[in-house]
Amino acid sequence: QVQLVESGGGLVQAGGSLTLSCAASGGTSSNYAMGWFRQAPGKEREFVTSITRMGSNTYYRDSVKGRFTISRDNAKNTVYLQMNSLKPEDTAVYYCAATESTAQTMYVRGLRLIYTWGKGTLVTVSS
């Protein structure tokens, strides 16, 4: 079973940028659709973005479209999340997720799917 480790979180001012990374081990990441979820304090974990196995298609929740970009490098077994124009409401723990289903299904079904999860990385956006 693949294991996932996130990195790159931190404190940033509103309008700033961060890039998160998710390194996969114990398996071949190209066997999985990958994505990012986030969980703000006191709120339910929510879908942010997903990417197909070969990186040809991506899906985003409306609130991050045009600001966040997901990408993957299967040679490095790594998925990235470039976050620009960050807002205080983006503050959350960001979790990397892998599924044997599809990236589109991640977008449609959100948490109603079986995932392998990373432990998360905290992103704090100050106003």
Side-chain angles (χ1 to χ4, degrees):
Q1 175 126 5
V2 67
Q3 291 90 45
L4 306 173
V5 178
E6 303 96 334
S7 61
L11 174 64
V12 63
Q13 288 189 330
S17 299
L18 277 177
T19 300
L20 305 183
S21 299
C22 171
S25 62
T28 303
S29 63
S30 59
N31 289 339
Y32 302 88
M34 304 284 291
W36 292 89
F37 287 70
R38 66 187 181 186
Q39 187 165 17
K43 295 188 176 181
E44 187 178 74
R45 192 173 299 189
E46 64 183 16
F47 171 86
V48 177
T49 179
S50 59
I51 188 167
T52 54
R53 284 167 173 73
M54 294 297 110
S56 55
N57 287 310
T58 57
Y59 302 86
Y60 298 91
R61 69 179 299 109
D62 287 346
S63 61
V64 308
K65 284 180 182 177
R67 300 188 298 122
F68 289 12
T69 303
I70 188 172
S71 62
R72 68 190 298 165
D73 184 340
N74 286 338
K76 296 182 178 180
N77 281 334
T78 302
V79 175
Y80 304 96
L81 181 62
Q82 174 68 43
M83 304 184 293
N84 297 327
S85 301
L86 282 161
K87 305 176 180 179
E89 52 264 42
D90 295 317
T91 294
V93 177
Y94 283 72
Y95 296 92
C96 181
T99 180
E100 294 182 350
S101 184
T102 69
Q104 185 176 27
T105 304
M106 293 178 72
Y107 172 69
V108 172
R109 302 196 66 186
L111 290 174
R112 294 175 291 117
L113 198 62
I114 295 174
Y115 296 103
T116 296
W117 296 99
K119 293 185 177 180
T121 185
L122 177 62
V123 172
T124 303
V125 184
S126 63
S127 56

